[in-house]
Amino acid sequence: MRGRLCDSYGVRRYFHPDPEDICLPEVLFALSDATRLGIAVDLSDGGERTAGELGGDIAKSTMTHHLKILREAGVLRVRSEGTRCYNSLRLADLESRFPGLVDQLLSSAARCGYTSADARR
Amino acid sequence: MRGRLCDSYGVRRYFHPDPEDICLPEVLFALSDATRLGIAVDLSDGGERTAGELGGDIAKSTMTHHLKILREAGVLRVRSEGTRCYNSLRLADLESRFPGLVDQLLSSAARCGYTSADARR
DNA sequence: CTCAATGTTCGGTAATCCTAGAACATTCAT
DNA sequence: ATGAATGTTCTAGGATTACCGAACATTGAG
């Protein structure tokens, strides 16, 4: 029997914290990196993006790392479909947990010019 | 001549970034630690606190470290008077740079129960 | 089945961070 | 001058982080 690197065969399983378990310092840490902040800004239109659409020059494994930090902090949700996985902001969950915060945060970030394009430089 | 550890004799000098140099990821990082977030919440009434009033059980040198991170990110201002130094939030500067953000952030943090008392447990 | 596309995991390196004890600096009170 | 109070700097260990290349896993297309 060969060893397995992934922890499941069927559809890939991702950990997402329950809404009430989303904690503020962790969210702030997740967004305290310019690349990750840019990703969040890019998704703030409510849309979905694949890792490939979000990252650019950075290595795939690095992108996985950043998306994992955002996901485990409760900022992102991932939905896998075929070979792709679509990332989107957990806007409603964040809004209910930290009313008014995420909008302010992402609009400030957008005003400051952060975009996932930052990952492409 | 003996070596000196401090870089000045007269009043202690602290670095404070100019308002326009305050950058969002750095602020978010500064607030992404429960101890530091608690300190910010504690100061959100606009008052001044000394390191001793803010920290509790944690070592003085650790407190200096946290206050330095907050200060260099532009979150705090330090004013030294005698043997004490009074820390206060740079509310106006933060508000002008990130309108509406700090209020939302600190009220969310307060709602979640963060206090500088966290440093005392 | 085989291949290409998309991500993940692993292993490793360099950098940064958290924490704290010890020594030092500055100021004030006596 | 001496000592107490307050805070900083130095040093160091342990933990975490960012980043990437290589190998692997999963899915869909041909």
Side-chain angles (χ1 to χ4, degrees), chain A residues 2-108:
Chain A
R2 304 236 304 293
R4 279 190 295 122
L5 291 180
C6 288
D7 53 359
S8 75
Y9 274 122
V11 175
R12 231 181 263 278
R13 309 292 293 173
Y14 296 98
F15 168 75
H16 293 92
D18 291 334
E20 66 269 24
D21 291 332
I22 298 177
C23 93
L24 189 53
E26 210 173 330
V27 168
L28 297 181
F29 176 79
L31 297 175
S32 72
D33 175 275
T35 300
R36 295 193 293 259
L37 187 57
I39 290 172
V41 169
D42 204 40
L43 293 172
S44 62
D45 62 358
E48 292 183 318
R49 310 274 193 289
T50 66
E53 291 165 345
L54 291 167
D57 277 354
I58 70 176
K60 281 193 305 176
S61 54
T62 303
M63 196 50 162
T64 297
H65 164 71
H66 284 312
L67 291 175
K68 178 181 180 183
I69 290 192
L70 287 165
R71 176 171 50 79
E72 294 187 341
V75 176
L76 293 185
R77 183 181 308 288
V78 188
R79 176 177 69 83
S80 86
E81 185 180 308
T83 65
R84 308 188 175 187
C85 40
Y86 294 94
N87 301 271
S88 57
L89 283 185
R90 294 179 62 175
L91 286 171
D93 291 335
L94 292 168
E95 173 63 22
S96 76
R97 183 112 179 76
F98 312 117
L101 178 58
V102 180
D103 281 351
Q104 286 293 343
L105 225 159
L106 294 182
S107 65
S108 278

Side-chain angles (χ1 to χ4, degrees), chain B residues 3 5 8-9 36 61-62 65-66 83:
Chain B
L5 290 181
S8 75
Y9 276 121
R36 294 192 294 260
S61 55
T62 303
H65 165 72
H66 284 312
T83 64

Side-chain angles (χ1 to χ4, degrees), chain B residues 14 23 30 34 44 49 54 65 78 92 105 111 114:
Chain B
Y14 295 98
C23 93
S44 61
R49 309 273 192 289
L54 290 168
H65 165 72
V78 188
L105 226 159
R111 239 191 319 275
Y114 292 96

Side-chain angles (χ1 to χ4, degrees), chain B residues 35 39 51-52 54-67 119-121:
Chain B
T35 300
I39 290 171
L54 290 168
D57 277 353
I58 71 176
K60 283 193 304 179
S61 55
T62 303
M63 196 50 163
T64 297
H65 165 72
H66 284 312
L67 292 175
R120 296 178 201 129
R121 293 181 302 193

Side-chain angles (χ1 to χ4, degrees), chain A residues 99-101 104, chain B residues 44 89 91 94-95 98-111:
Chain A
L101 178 58
Q104 286 293 343
Chain B
S44 61
L89 284 185
L91 285 170
L94 292 169
E95 174 62 22
F98 312 118
L101 178 58
V102 181
D103 280 351
Q104 286 292 343
L105 226 159
L106 294 182
S107 65
S108 278
R111 239 191 319 275

Side-chain angles (χ1 to χ4, degrees), chain B residues 71-120:
Chain B
R71 175 172 50 79
E72 294 186 343
V75 177
L76 293 185
R77 184 181 307 289
V78 188
R79 175 178 71 82
S80 86
E81 185 180 309
T83 64
R84 307 186 175 188
C85 38
Y86 294 94
N87 301 271
S88 57
L89 284 185
R90 294 179 63 175
L91 285 170
D93 291 335
L94 292 169
E95 174 62 22
S96 76
R97 183 110 179 78
F98 312 118
L101 178 58
V102 181
D103 280 351
Q104 286 292 343
L105 226 159
L106 294 182
S107 65
S108 278
R111 239 191 319 275
C112 292
Y114 292 96
T115 313
S116 64
D118 293 340
R120 296 178 201 129

